[in-house]
Amino acid sequence: MVKIFKTVAILEGISYLALFTNMLLVKPNNPDLYHQLLYPIGMSHGLLFIGYIVLAFVITKSQKWDIIKLGIVLLASLLPFATFFVERKYVKND
């Protein structure tokens, strides 16, 4: 389950950055392409975000996280690049 969480954490971070890239770089230069990319990128990011949150709760006990660490892991899902940090620092391989 930990390997799945690590994979989802990395993919969630990448999809978050792809969403920002689409919004900040593609939209001003090519609005039609922006609208074509918005649904698939947004949907994949939403599913990965939900998976990240659910898996964080699932592996909390096996990782021996207290409420503070769980809060940091959950907060990381809202900040760009933070899921990469969490995957490296807080998730221990079993």
Side-chain angles (χ1 to χ4, degrees):
M1 200 55 96
V2 173
K3 284 185 179 186
I4 295 171
F5 178 78
K6 291 179 97 166
T7 303
V8 168
I10 291 169
L11 291 174
E12 197 273 336
I14 291 170
S15 70
Y16 200 17
L17 295 175
L19 200 58
F20 277 137
T21 301
N22 188 39
M23 180 180 64
L24 297 174
L25 299 178
V26 177
K27 184 177 182 181
N29 299 326
N30 193 345
D32 292 332
L33 180 60
Y34 164 77
H35 289 292
Q36 290 174 353
L37 294 175
L38 184 61
Y39 182 77
I41 294 172
M43 180 62 76
S44 63
H45 172 69
L47 292 173
L48 288 166
F49 176 79
I50 292 168
Y52 179 88
I53 299 296
V54 168
L55 287 169
F57 281 107
V58 168
I59 69 166
T60 297
K61 193 169 191 163
S62 70
Q63 293 294 304
K64 298 180 178 107
W65 290 337
D66 58 5
I67 194 73
I68 305 270
K69 282 188 182 174
L70 177 61
I72 291 169
V73 169
L74 295 176
L75 182 65
S77 67
L78 303 175
L79 303 171
F81 299 106
T83 57
F84 303 122
F85 173 75
V86 163
E87 185 267 330
R88 294 255 181 201
K89 180 168 170 106
Y90 289 104
V91 182
K92 299 175 192 109
N93 289 328
D94 291 351

